[in-house]
Each structure stands twice: as structure tokens, then as C-alpha cells.
Amino acid sequence: MRRGFMAVALASSALIGLAGIGLSAFADQAPGGAPSKPSLDATARRGVVDAAARLLTEGYVFPDVGRRAATLLSRKLAAGEYDAITDPDAFAQRLTEDLAAVTQDKHLWVRGNERRREPQRRGEAPLRSEAGFTRVDVLQQNIGYLDLDGFVPKDLFKPTADKAMRLLAGTDALIIDLRGNGGGAPGAVAYFVSFFVDPKTPVHVNDLLWRKPGTDEYRRDAFWTEAVPSSYLAKPVVLLIGPRTFSGGEEFAYDMRNLKLATLVGEVTGGGANPGGVRPLHGGLSMFLPTGKAVNPITLTSWEGRGVEPDVPAASAEAFARAYAMALGAAGKKPLSANAPSGPDALIEQRLLVPRSTAQAGSEAALRRSIAELQAGAPRYDLLSPALADLTREQLPQIHADIAALGPLQGVTFVEVGRMGETVYDVKFANGEWRWRILLDEGGKTILAAMRPK
């Protein structure tokens, strides 16, 4: 029986660039629970290409381009150009490169089974966040500083955004650092913009046009601001951007600039504006398939392929100092001295939000209950968020088989808090050990659950 990586994760119909949310795939596993590296034969390679070609033809956001990309992959397979590639990750990389040559779409990629994490520099503490917020500080002279590394789906984003902006409401100007923001859910982007506009008047922030599968037609999702519990209206806002600002992070910068709500400082962003989701292919590979495109209601276009340009260009090493000086000036504060610090750490007067570093209350009990329910094939859907319940129903036959085969639960050990605020556990079974991620909402329902072999 095939067993391996599974994820049942917080789902969103529109994800832009935040890898790992909504992902569902499988990886081969050796006896005893240890992951093994599979080898692709000709049949497996054909299965991957056929699945990718079908998805591109039926769903890629630009139908003509999708058909050309599908034809290219099929032609290269038939010509034997992939015959020597047996490593899944090497095959995934080659397909990604071939697709990029046709589409120039930075969201379109194929990936293999290797577990992917952002590299951590030696001696550096793991980056922690609470729903994407890694820092919320008050700097010297009452300047707010908020470091946001992603836009998680709105039902997870909203409580922390509300708290962060309430804590920052008394500052005189705000710097929002998006230089590491890899994107996420458009609903969360629109919600965050809501803090900077007149709460009495909804503002049209962005549209997403989604291709209807198998057709050349589109449906439209419109995103508007909404009521928020606090406001940062009519105060100076400076956004820090750079090459690692991507997708949903770019959308926020693009929206704020077009609405004349912020000044952008830094370098040109990555240039990805086509949302979509991860789709399984064959042999454990998966593809992020862009099925939509962003259309800003002011510019009637997007940042796709170009990125978002700063209002004030500044190299990475200088960008924060420029942003802080601008925030001070806009708020009528005294300027920095010539030898002033160049980063936020030396300027902190108060840390307002410290991401949790301990297990979320109730998460271990929810994890143990969930495992028992999955092994019995009878999840309590009323204890899951609607999105997670739908995804669990869809994946239940495979999840039930794989979790049941692990045998009796023997122990649960806390590991860390993940970047979205989820609690990470190592879970030991009679027939293997798995890494499990779980996050509960304020009412105790599970809104994220993901698991894979350790």
C-alpha cells in the first residue's frame, strides 16, 4: 500500500504565492515509516506530462498559452528529451523551466516530493509569526513598525490583523515591511487595506478573473474593503518592498500605491500576479496552476511580469533607514542624526506583539481526537472549519487508509510553532513517526491540519 505525505490544510479558493496552504500530495515511503526517494520510469514520466498537459489545456488562465505549453511538454516527451531523467525533483525542475520558456509565469511550477523549507542561516533563530505577522513594534519617536511575511486566508488573518492595528493605532506614522512577503490570500489583502481607508465608504480594491475550466470564458471575483475595528486613516504609511515581495505581497503594495494610501520604498518586486492552486500530477509530483489573473480597478491591469516599482528607490541595506526618515518627516518629527541606527532592532521602544512560541492551548487534545477519528474513518466535521471539512471529505478515503495503517498512537511531542502560528508536533505510531501541524480558531475548531512522514 502506498503511504506518505498528506496535508489537510486551510483551504482558500484564491491563493497567490504562499506555498503550502491547501497543498495535498503523496510521497512514497519505505517500510517502517522512513521516506524513500522514488525513481521515475517512462510510464511515470508520461503520466506526469499527460496530467500536466490536461491541466494546462483545461485550466491555465490564458487558454492559448496553456495549449501551447501542453503541446511543448508532450512534444518533448515524444522526442525523448526527458528519457534520461529518473529523479522526480530533477524532472520537476526541468518541466518548470520548459513551462517558463512558454508562459513566463512565475507562479507556474512543478515540484517533487522533497520537503521544501526556506533556508535558515547558521545561528539564526527560526522565524516565527502569528498569522503572517512577525513583528509589531513601536520605534523611537512613536513610529510604528509592522513586519508582515504573508497573507494567510482571511479567517486566520483577521484576528491578528485586528489586534496588531489596534495596538498601533496610537502611533504617528507606520512602516510596513513587505520585503519577505511571499503572498497569500486576496481576501486577506483587501481586509488589510481596509484599515487605511474611510470605514464609512467601501473601496474597490482588486478583481480576480478566473478561467472557467475547459472554456475560454471567465468569472469575476471583486474584492472590496470592509468594516474594521480600528482605523489608520490619514496617517503617513511607508511600505518597504524588494525582490522577495511577491504575489499577494505585491498586490497589497500595488493597491496601496494606486489608492494613494502609502509611499513605497526599496526595490522592484518579483512580478507574479496570477493566482491559482496546487494540483496533483502523477508519481508524487504536483503543479501550481494559475487559473486566474488580477485586474486592478484603477489601472485595469496588474503587476504581472513587471513587478511593482518603488516610489523611492533604495538598495536593501539602505531601505529601512530611508523609510524611517520619511516616516519621521511625514509625521513632523526630528530627523535622524548622521550616525543613527540603520535597522529597527536598535530603535525599538516597545514590542507590541511577540508570536507565540509554545503549543496552542487545546491543540494536542484536538490532534489526538482527530487521529482517532481519522483512523476510524469518522471525522467530526462540526469541529472543523468549513473549508477544512470540505477538504477532509474529499481526501478521507486515502487519509483513513494511511493513518489507520500506522497503527496505535504511542506519543505526541511538541516541536515548535510554525510560521502561520500553527503548533507542530511529532507523532509516534506503532508503525512510524509523522510530523503534524494543527491550528485552532478562537472557538476551538481546527482550521489547519497537515501531516507527513517524519
Side-chain angles (χ1 to χ4, degrees):
M1 181 185 67
R2 181 182 67 172
R3 300 208 318 256
F5 173 94
M6 284 183 293
V8 183
L10 187 69
S12 171
S13 61
L15 292 175
I16 308 186
L18 192 63
I21 299 179
L23 178 64
S24 175
F26 294 89
D28 292 337
Q29 190 177 17
S36 63
K37 184 128 179 177
S39 178
L40 292 178
D41 59 16
T43 301
R45 287 192 297 272
R46 177 169 295 280
V48 170
V49 170
D50 287 349
R54 183 176 63 257
L55 289 169
L56 289 162
T57 300
E58 295 179 356
Y60 183 65
V61 57
F62 302 109
D64 289 344
V65 177
R67 288 188 281 267
R68 289 204 309 271
T71 299
L72 175 71
L73 296 188
S74 298
R75 179 172 57 77
K76 285 179 175 286
L77 179 74
E81 294 189 30
Y82 301 141
D83 286 357
I85 307 175
T86 59
D87 178 82
D89 297 296
F91 190 41
Q93 179 61 31
R94 174 64 184 276
L95 294 179
T96 299
E97 293 169 356
D98 288 343
L99 290 170
V102 177
T103 68
Q104 306 298 315
D105 192 325
K106 295 181 181 180
H107 273 113
L108 180 59
W109 47 252
V110 178
R111 284 182 180 164
N113 295 321
E114 289 297 297
R115 296 199 268 277
R116 297 174 296 278
R117 291 191 175 191
E118 290 190 8
Q120 184 177 317
R121 291 185 288 275
R122 187 180 301 276
E124 195 176 66
L127 180 64
R128 301 191 188 282
S129 79
E130 184 175 328
F133 292 82
T134 62
R135 294 179 61 160
V136 180
D137 303 330
V138 177
L139 306 181
Q140 291 177 17
Q141 300 194 61
N142 202 34
I143 303 299
Y145 176 72
L146 189 156
D147 191 342
L148 183 63
D149 77 345
F151 287 95
V152 301
K154 194 175 95 172
D155 54 352
L156 174 57
F157 181 82
K158 183 178 183 297
T160 304
D162 290 348
K163 176 169 64 174
M165 294 306 295
R166 182 180 69 250
L167 293 170
L168 289 165
T171 57
D172 296 319
L174 178 60
I175 299 169
I176 302 176
D177 198 336
L178 302 170
R179 289 176 294 178
N181 192 303
V189 175
Y191 187 78
F192 201 40
V193 174
S194 303
F195 289 96
F196 306 96
V197 300
D198 185 344
K200 299 187 183 83
T201 307
V203 174
H204 190 184
V205 175
N206 189 41
D207 284 346
L208 292 178
L209 271 61
W210 299 98
R211 182 183 172 189
K212 296 179 181 179
T215 75
D216 289 5
E217 300 176 354
Y218 295 85
R219 64 175 177 84
R220 182 182 295 264
D221 281 344
F223 294 86
W224 293 71
T225 59
E226 57 187 278
V228 290
S230 63
S231 175
Y232 211 83
L233 180 65
K235 291 185 182 182
V237 178
V238 181
L239 306 186
L240 283 167
I241 60 172
R244 291 178 59 228
T245 309
F246 190 66
S247 199
E250 294 178 276
E251 192 214 315
F252 180 72
Y254 194 73
D255 296 340
M256 292 287 282
R257 185 180 68 184
N258 290 329
L259 291 168
K260 303 187 186 317
L261 299 174
T263 302
L264 280 54
V265 177
E267 301 176 79
V268 178
T269 63
N274 297 331
V278 178
R279 308 294 175 86
L281 294 175
H282 184 80
L285 274 67
S286 57
M287 178 168 70
F288 192 100
L289 180 70
T291 56
K293 56 183 176 180
V295 179
N296 182 274
I298 296 173
T299 66
L300 302 181
T301 184
S302 75
W303 59 98
E304 174 65 29
R306 299 187 299 272
V308 181
E309 294 187 2
D311 299 305
V312 180
S316 179
E318 305 167 356
F320 174 80
R322 292 288 299 275
Y324 186 61
M326 291 177 61
L328 289 175
K333 308 284 185 175
K334 10 178 234 190
L336 291 168
S337 61
N339 59 351
S342 59
D345 288 341
L347 296 168
I348 292 177
E349 289 195 339
Q350 187 178 8
R351 181 147 286 174
L352 301 178
L353 184 148
V354 178
R356 177 173 46 80
S357 60
T358 58
Q360 184 181 20
S363 60
E364 182 176 342
L367 170 62
R368 289 177 177 272
R369 186 196 67 243
S370 176
I371 289 170
E373 293 169 359
L374 291 172
Q375 288 189 325
R380 284 279 307 276
Y381 293 111
D382 61 314
L383 298 179
L384 308 178
S385 70
L388 182 55
D390 289 345
L391 201 53
T392 303
R393 289 187 185 95
E394 178 185 329
Q395 299 185 1
L396 183 59
Q398 185 67 58
I399 295 171
H400 168 54
D402 286 15
I403 302 301
L406 289 169
L409 175 65
Q410 295 185 339
V412 176
T413 304
F414 169 73
V415 177
E416 63 181 359
V417 176
R419 294 187 64 179
M420 289 188 292
E422 78 277 17
T423 305
V424 183
Y425 290 102
D426 281 344
V427 184
K428 186 173 178 58
F429 298 89
N431 300 323
E433 189 170 357
W434 283 42
R435 177 65 54 88
W436 209 289
R437 296 171 180 270
I438 186 167
L439 181 65
L440 311 179
D441 67 12
E442 293 178 325
K445 287 189 176 183
T446 304
I447 57 175
L448 182 148
M451 65 288 288
R452 61 166 173 78
K454 187 170 180 294

